[in-house]
Amino acid sequence: MDAQGRGQAGDIDPADQWVLNPHTGEYELRLTPSAPQSGIPGPRKAAPSPNRAGAPAGRTASPVAPGRTVPPPRRRGAPPQEPLPGRRGRRPAKKKSTAKKAVLWTGGAMAFVLVAAAGGGYLYIRHLNGNITSVSDDGASTGGFQTDKAINILLIGTDKRTGAGNGSYGDKDSVGHADTTILLHVSKDRTNATALSIPRDLIVDVPDCETTQSDGTTKVIPGTDDVRFNTSLGQDERTASCTVRTVTELTGIQADNFMVADFNAVKTLTTAVGGVEVCLAKDIDDEDSKLKLSKGTHTISGEQALAFVRTRHSVGFGGDLSRIGLQQQFLSALMRKLKSNDTLTNPTKMIKLAEAGTKALTVDSNLDSIGKLKDLGLELGKLNVKNLTFTTVPVVDNPTEKVKATVVVNNATAPTVFDMIKNDVSFTEVKKKAGASKNAEAAEEAARLKGTKSAASEVRLRILNGGAAAGSAQAELEYLQNEEGVLKSENAGNADAALSKTTLEYAPDQADQARRLADIMGLSGAAMKPGKSVTNSQGLPTMTLTLGKDFKGAGVSFTTATKAPEGVQQSTADKVECAK
């Protein structure tokens, strides 16, 4: 959806200023006398104080909260007044706290930094709400992120050539395909994040997708098999919700929300921050992208920044995968610039960032309120760039092509990458502080796996389906009996309630059997539930294995990898890298 040409009535006059209110520690927007007065706190211009006792005539008094006493204004150069009896004097605001406040205001910009290669970023400011366009998620997402859970945001940059000067880039009549797509996973504890790039030329199956039409009706757009990933958006009138469904089918990860931006955001966003520093290991002169830069370090913005993230023929092997690496380097640099104090404490840049981001932004219907955008921004603002890992879906050349133009998923390594993200495993080493109770719980779980293990033939087990796909209990039973020698086992049907996680309940005298089964299935200590045994169909005491929604298939280990497979491309946002 074209996000341009919106929000003109709410534009901010460049003369308006943001200043820090020393009494509240917040930035406040003070508009020029001719501008409409906003109820949003903002920066102050050098002007007489609003009308209180003795204020100049013709000015409107600022509202005062009930029960608060407003101190009289001080003359310039006058000594500070003594605090009222019984009240402590207010300490001067520290510069460090100012930066922290700024981080909160700019937290939302981080999400859109990640689609800067073909779209933009945003900074939530309430009076810019009118700039934001939302479209239905058509039930493709989880229904929206939650602050107490891991967050998955699908960031989509389209190749739609709307806006001044953009028609000269490549296919000017593009319907707006998914040119740059990144699945951003933010860990539950907010200590780390993973940005997974999905190649536009990856061959996938696009599923059927129910799509809301402009008149409010819905229709199902038929899916297509063995097509380029980028056709999940734009092609056959597909919307971003179709891209969400395609990513879910590809990775097994369902996005909480999605955000879409077009060509203009990368130009306006880089200009707003005063340019982004990039590094080249060689000279580049690309006629297609119109990028011409010499070897070394450069600060780029606007048209030059867009040319940088679009170039591919002059880097690496000249394909889309090489361009993804270039985009990730650019996004890392932009992240560092946005997180720097030069940006965070600069009110002018803050306003420009807000304008640049919201005018090029389309969000899903679960993110259409400024309150939700604010909450998401605060969660993203907790990230440290050194623990934000950029990686790409592992792929290999399409074996069906003589002239290599597309890629397919590398089934040897991609499932591990998807599982790490799905199970909230960091790609970087993160030191986590756990409380005494949490450490004690972890030690207790680890202890359940230690000790002797019985022979597989001695394991007596009944299997219940507690939320796994239909037929899972029987499939796992056949695997355990035929492949692992767990012959004293039976299918006990469905559990009384569905479980998110698979569990194994056993009596104390069955601990050695439990450890053997845990070893066979890759169960963690958390999955093992010491309790009591029940009797099987023969009246003998037996353990109970309940397959939850995390069951991946018969014989598939429950053990989650703790690091990415050998050879998987990855980089962190704090590292400065030079494009080759």
Side-chain angles (χ1 to χ4, degrees):
M1 182 173 182
D2 185 6
Q4 297 305 307
R6 295 179 275 106
Q8 298 302 316
D11 287 351
I12 298 176
D13 191 309
D16 299 332
Q17 299 290 321
W18 288 83
V19 297
L20 183 70
N21 185 328
H23 297 296
T24 65
E26 299 281 358
Y27 279 110
E28 296 183 351
L29 178 62
R30 294 298 169 89
L31 306 178
T32 56
S34 61
Q37 296 300 305
S38 169
I40 301 169
R44 187 198 321 257
K45 294 185 66 176
S49 300
N51 202 18
R52 294 187 181 98
R59 299 295 176 90
T60 302
S62 298
V64 179
R68 293 187 62 185
T69 302
V70 179
R74 285 171 45 202
R75 295 189 306 275
R76 180 175 297 177
Q81 294 180 331
E82 289 296 322
L84 296 175
R87 294 183 60 184
R88 297 174 60 185
R90 187 183 298 274
R91 291 194 182 108
K94 296 181 180 179
K95 290 185 178 180
K96 184 176 181 181
S97 63
T98 300
K100 282 187 176 180
K101 295 288 184 183
V103 170
L104 299 184
W105 281 96
T106 57
M110 295 181 65
F112 287 93
V113 169
L114 298 174
V115 281
Y122 83 94
L123 174 66
Y124 76 91
I125 298 179
R126 286 172 292 180
H127 69 283
L128 294 176
N129 191 41
N131 282 3
I132 301 172
T133 290
S134 66
V135 294
S136 175
D137 81 327
D138 298 313
S141 70
T142 64
F145 78 95
Q146 298 182 43
T147 57
D148 59 345
K149 295 183 178 180
I151 299 174
N152 292 299
I153 306 292
L154 191 64
L155 310 167
I156 308 169
T158 77
D159 60 358
K160 199 166 187 178
R161 269 70 170 169
T162 52
N166 292 332
S168 61
Y169 296 121
D171 181 9
K172 66 179 181 180
D173 298 319
S174 172
V175 294
H177 291 121
D179 198 52
T180 298
T181 306
I182 297 174
L183 179 62
L184 174 65
H185 171 83
V186 184
S187 68
K188 180 179 179 180
D189 61 8
R190 310 296 185 254
T191 62
N192 64 91
T194 303
L196 178 71
S197 293
I198 303 174
R200 67 174 191 181
D201 296 328
L202 175 64
I203 297 299
V204 298
D205 294 338
V206 177
D208 296 345
C209 54
E210 185 175 292
T211 306
T212 301
Q213 305 300 295
S214 57
D215 61 359
T217 62
T218 61
K219 74 173 183 179
V220 176
I221 300 176
T224 50
D225 294 343
D226 297 327
V227 293
R228 279 179 165 88
F229 174 84
N230 67 344
T231 62
S232 65
L233 177 65
Q235 197 78 14
D236 301 324
E237 300 183 329
R238 292 184 178 117
T239 64
S241 64
C242 295
T243 305
V244 173
R245 295 185 196 278
T246 304
V247 171
T248 301
E249 185 159 305
L250 171 68
T251 66
I253 303 165
Q254 187 176 20
D256 299 308
N257 298 98
F258 64 77
M259 304 174 183
V260 185
D262 60 20
F263 259 28
N264 296 287
V266 66
K267 297 191 292 186
T268 54
L269 186 61
T270 52
T271 300
V273 298
V276 174
E277 189 176 273
V278 296
C279 180
L280 297 177
K282 62 180 181 180
D283 296 344
I284 288 183
D285 189 356
D286 189 341
E287 293 183 1
D288 291 329
S289 69
K290 301 178 178 62
L291 179 68
K292 186 173 183 179
L293 287 175
S294 60
K295 175 182 177 180
T297 301
H298 301 270
T299 298
I300 60 175
S301 63
E303 294 286 350
Q304 195 174 43
L306 181 58
F308 183 87
V309 298
R310 292 189 65 252
T311 193
R312 59 190 176 99
H313 298 303
S314 300
V315 292
F317 295 104
D320 184 52
L321 294 179
S322 298
R323 184 175 66 166
I324 286 176
L326 193 72
Q327 292 171 348
Q328 291 176 349
Q329 185 233 115
F330 172 82
L331 297 173
S332 295
L334 188 51
M335 285 285 290
R336 294 192 296 272
K337 185 64 177 284
L338 279 171
K339 292 284 284 184
S340 69
N341 284 336
D342 178 55
T343 300
L344 295 178
T345 59
N346 189 318
T348 301
K349 288 184 179 179
M350 303 269 280
I351 294 176
K352 289 180 178 179
L353 278 169
E355 290 294 321
T358 54
K359 287 183 179 179
L361 167 66
T362 299
V363 299
D364 71 85
S365 49
N366 297 306
L367 267 182
D368 60 355
S369 76
I370 207 66
K372 292 176 183 177
L373 290 173
K374 177 204 70 174
D375 291 341
L376 176 60
L378 294 177
E379 297 304 311
L380 298 175
K382 298 174 184 178
L383 293 174
N384 188 321
V385 292
K386 72 178 183 179
N387 291 325
L388 169 57
T389 301
F390 287 94
T391 189
T392 304
V393 173
V395 296
V396 294
D397 288 334
N398 190 342
T400 66
E401 296 176 335
K402 291 183 178 179
V403 178
K404 304 303 180 185
T406 62
V407 293
V408 296
V409 168
N410 184 340
N411 289 320
T413 53
T416 300
V417 171
F418 299 155
D419 282 346
M420 288 179 66
I421 296 174
K422 192 186 308 182
N423 290 289
D424 207 20
V425 178
S426 176
F427 280 64
T428 58
E429 186 176 348
V430 180
K431 294 182 179 179
K432 299 183 180 182
K433 296 180 180 179
S437 60
K438 196 69 177 178
N439 286 329
E441 181 182 350
E444 183 180 348
E445 291 173 355
R448 295 171 193 163
L449 297 172
K450 297 178 180 179
T452 59
K453 302 179 182 71
S454 69
S457 60
E458 297 302 316
V459 174
R460 186 176 287 113
L461 180 71
R462 68 180 193 134
I463 305 174
L464 296 173
N465 190 332
S472 293
Q474 183 62 31
E476 184 66 12
L477 173 68
E478 293 174 0
Y479 167 77
L480 290 174
Q481 289 183 340
N482 298 330
E483 303 296 331
E484 299 293 345
V486 183
L487 302 178
K488 298 177 181 178
S489 50
E490 64 181 27
N491 182 352
N494 294 324
D496 293 333
L499 302 177
S500 60
K501 299 288 186 180
T502 295
T503 63
L504 174 63
E505 185 174 6
Y506 57 96
D509 61 352
Q510 297 170 319
D512 55 344
Q513 296 181 45
R515 286 190 286 268
R516 173 55 66 192
L517 189 67
D519 184 59
I520 291 172
M521 297 183 63
L523 295 173
S524 67
M528 300 173 69
K529 305 297 182 183
K532 60 182 181 180
S533 65
V534 296
T535 55
N536 62 12
S537 59
Q538 298 175 331
L540 299 173
T542 183
M543 301 187 298
T544 300
L545 174 68
T546 305
L547 303 178
K549 295 179 181 179
D550 60 340
F551 180 73
K552 304 169 187 176
V556 179
S557 175
F558 282 84
T559 301
T560 301
T562 57
K563 63 179 181 179
E566 192 73 26
V568 171
Q569 171 268 333
Q570 55 183 308
S571 61
T572 52
D574 63 322
K575 301 290 177 60
V576 178
E577 298 183 4
C578 295
K580 299 179 180 179

